[in-house]
Amino acid sequence: GDSVTQMEGPVTLSEEAFLTINCTYTATGYPSLFWYVQYPGEGLQLLLKATKADDKGSNKGFEATYRKETTSFHLEKGSVQVSDSAVYFCASTSGGSNYKLTFGKGTLLTVNP
Amino acid sequence: DTGVSQDPRHKITKRGQNVTFRCDPISEHNRLYWYRQTLGQGPEFLTYFQNEAQLEKSRLLSDRFSAERPKGSFSTLEIQRTEQGDSAMYLCASSIGKETQYFGPGTRLLVL
């Protein structure tokens, strides 16, 4: 079946550091790709998405580019803040399905002042 | 737009008991999804509805699980004869068609 593999955490950074969280997917065809974020004690929130190859999703300083040739959707932010501390999940729609999301295991990010 | 709501937020039950969770989607969202998330894992798809029709059930959804969406609005997920392995966070999401899924806060179930 389809799978999403993301960089294992936890990741600990100092404020203003550069962040990359790697994500690769196996879904065939043209899945949509997402990054969701889960802040402590809260539900999953959509951070950004991309629906076709070479699209760049962006929000709150975070970016990710849909790379079909490498089946990747890496999350980046140039300067993280303490408030970015959360668990980040990469997800894709499953091949042949436009509704079922397949998630990675999540990456815990802690940003220290 | 009040977001997706779920009730209860937490449930502790004894093994063998039945539990029922409720999800209220964003109004006018015709699709509703249930996922399960265990500790250290990402959410896993359980089932989905388009309006009142249940269109797919994951093989993760054993015979002890049943979900309904009787009027195409709120949905319930019932687990009969709970087992300790059912302990997890149960997430509900909704969407308009194939657009972005918006998640609720989840119901955390602990089976003792």
Side-chain angles (χ1 to χ4, degrees):
Chain A
D2 295 331
S3 65
V4 172
T5 303
Q6 64 181 99
M7 178 174 149
E8 290 197 15
V11 174
T12 302
L13 296 173
S14 297
E15 207 164 23
E16 299 183 2
F18 183 85
L19 169 71
T20 299
I21 301 178
N22 291 337
C23 172
T24 56
Y25 65 92
T26 63
T28 56
Y30 298 89
S32 294
L33 303 174
F34 306 83
W35 278 98
Y36 281 85
V37 59
Q38 189 169 36
Y39 297 104
E42 299 185 15
L44 284 168
Q45 299 177 26
L46 177 69
L47 180 59
L48 54 84
K49 69 177 184 180
T51 58
K52 61 182 187 294
D54 299 325
D55 266 2
K56 178 185 285 187
S58 61
N59 186 26
K60 300 181 181 179
F62 290 89
E63 294 182 340
T65 301
Y66 188 143
R67 301 287 188 201
K68 190 159 178 64
E69 64 275 16
T70 54
T71 62
S72 66
F73 193 54
H74 305 320
L75 182 68
E76 296 183 336
K77 186 174 186 182
S79 175
V80 293
Q81 305 300 311
V82 172
S83 58
D84 294 327
S85 298
V87 181
Y88 292 81
F89 292 93
C90 184
S92 78
T93 50
S94 293
S97 156
N98 63 8
Y99 55 84
K100 187 189 310 183
L101 290 177
T102 298
F103 284 85
K105 291 186 176 182
T107 302
L108 173 63
L109 169 67
T110 302
V111 180
N112 295 318
Chain B
D1 180 357
T2 57
V4 178
S5 61
Q6 293 186 245
D7 184 70
R9 295 289 304 275
H10 304 273
K11 179 71 177 178
I12 300 174
T13 191
K14 293 182 179 179
R15 190 174 51 187
Q17 298 295 304
N18 299 343
V19 294
T20 299
F21 310 141
R22 177 179 170 124
C23 170
D24 286 90
I26 294 171
S27 60
E28 300 180 357
H29 278 197
N30 61 334
R31 291 191 180 184
L32 186 148
Y33 315 79
W34 286 98
Y35 292 81
R36 181 171 66 188
Q37 184 179 16
T38 53
L39 201 60
Q41 303 294 318
E44 294 176 293
F45 172 83
L46 292 179
T47 189
Y48 115 94
F49 293 83
Q50 180 153 307
N51 301 312
E52 66 276 8
Q54 187 175 18
L55 297 186
E56 184 172 341
K57 293 172 60 174
S58 162
R59 55 184 169 78
L60 293 175
L61 219 60
S62 76
D63 291 345
R64 296 183 297 104
F65 288 70
S66 62
E68 295 182 342
R69 193 182 184 200
K71 297 183 180 179
S73 57
F74 73 92
S75 175
T76 58
L77 177 68
E78 181 183 17
I79 310 174
Q80 296 183 326
R81 305 181 302 282
T82 53
E83 301 173 357
Q84 288 184 325
D86 297 331
S87 296
M89 176 78 86
Y90 290 85
L91 299 170
C92 177
S94 70
S95 71
I96 297 175
K98 62 179 182 178
E99 298 302 313
T100 301
Q101 294 180 30
Y102 293 90
F103 284 80
T107 294
R108 185 173 295 281
L109 172 67
L110 178 60
V111 181
L112 301 176

